[in-house]
Amino acid sequence: MQPSLPIPTDNIYKFACLFGLVLIVSAIFAFVTSYSSSLDRKVKHMEVMIPLEAKTERTKAEDDLLALHKRLIEVTKSNEETTIWPIAAVMVLGLSLSWYGAKKWHQVIQTRDDRLADLQLRKLEAEVAKLEAEVQPALTGRTSKMPSDASTTA
């Protein structure tokens, strides 16, 4: 099965750069997902807590339910703080890998390719100049022997 999106494996630096970008996008997606999920859970707990806190007199079960939801909010906040570190690590790894790959690709691969293109251009220019030098005498020699020149002199 062929992938629909070809992976650039022509050099390791380009691969590292693009893999770093994938890690960056993944870290951003994970952060947004984690944050929105955490916020959703806190809102649901607050929806239960607000009516309970508004009551002046609560039963033991209501007090326990209020304490449970307060504790669940604390756990949710703790989970937010815990998940931020792995996400940050993936982001830093992605940034580092992408920066390293792009820098090395530019320094090693692109410099070589630029030199190669310059040499090919100079070679083609030299070939064109050589061909023009060969064709020029042939053209000047042929123009003096044209039949139209002979008819105008006669």
Side-chain angles (χ1 to χ4, degrees):
M1 185 166 112
Q2 292 291 327
S4 60
L5 183 65
I7 299 171
T9 56
D10 56 335
N11 69 62
I12 192 71
Y13 304 123
K14 191 186 295 184
F15 179 77
C17 181
L18 291 177
F19 185 67
L21 289 174
V22 167
L23 289 177
I24 292 167
V25 169
S26 298
I28 291 170
F29 178 76
F31 174 76
V32 169
T33 302
S34 171
Y35 182 78
S36 64
S37 169
S38 175
L39 183 62
D40 185 45
R41 277 181 268 156
K42 286 190 276 187
V43 166
K44 286 182 181 177
H45 295 307
M46 290 301 289
E47 286 174 348
V48 173
M49 288 175 53
I50 290 173
L52 290 175
E53 287 179 339
K55 284 186 171 182
T56 54
E57 293 183 22
R58 292 185 293 265
T59 64
K60 170 91 170 106
E62 290 173 334
D63 283 337
D64 291 343
L65 186 62
L66 184 62
L68 173 69
H69 282 283
K70 284 182 181 180
R71 178 68 182 135
L72 287 173
I73 287 177
E74 291 172 12
V75 169
T76 302
K77 288 179 183 178
S78 174
N79 287 346
E80 275 181 20
E81 294 168 5
T82 303
T83 58
I84 197 72
W85 291 109
I87 292 171
V90 169
M91 177 68 89
V92 167
L93 178 65
L95 287 169
S96 300
L97 198 57
S98 194
W99 178 80
Y100 172 79
K103 182 179 179 217
K104 290 301 263 184
W105 174 77
H106 180 71
Q107 288 177 345
V108 175
I109 305 298
Q110 191 61 41
T111 304
R112 181 200 63 200
D113 288 353
D114 289 346
R115 269 194 344 255
L116 180 64
D118 186 47
L119 288 172
Q120 287 175 340
L121 182 62
R122 287 180 20 208
K123 178 183 173 188
L124 287 174
E125 287 172 347
E127 287 177 4
V128 167
K130 181 181 174 185
L131 285 172
E132 285 176 347
E134 290 174 359
V135 170
Q136 195 64 12
L139 287 178
T140 56
R142 190 174 0 151
T143 56
S144 62
K145 297 178 184 176
M146 299 277 299
S148 62
D149 289 340
S151 66
T152 56
T153 56

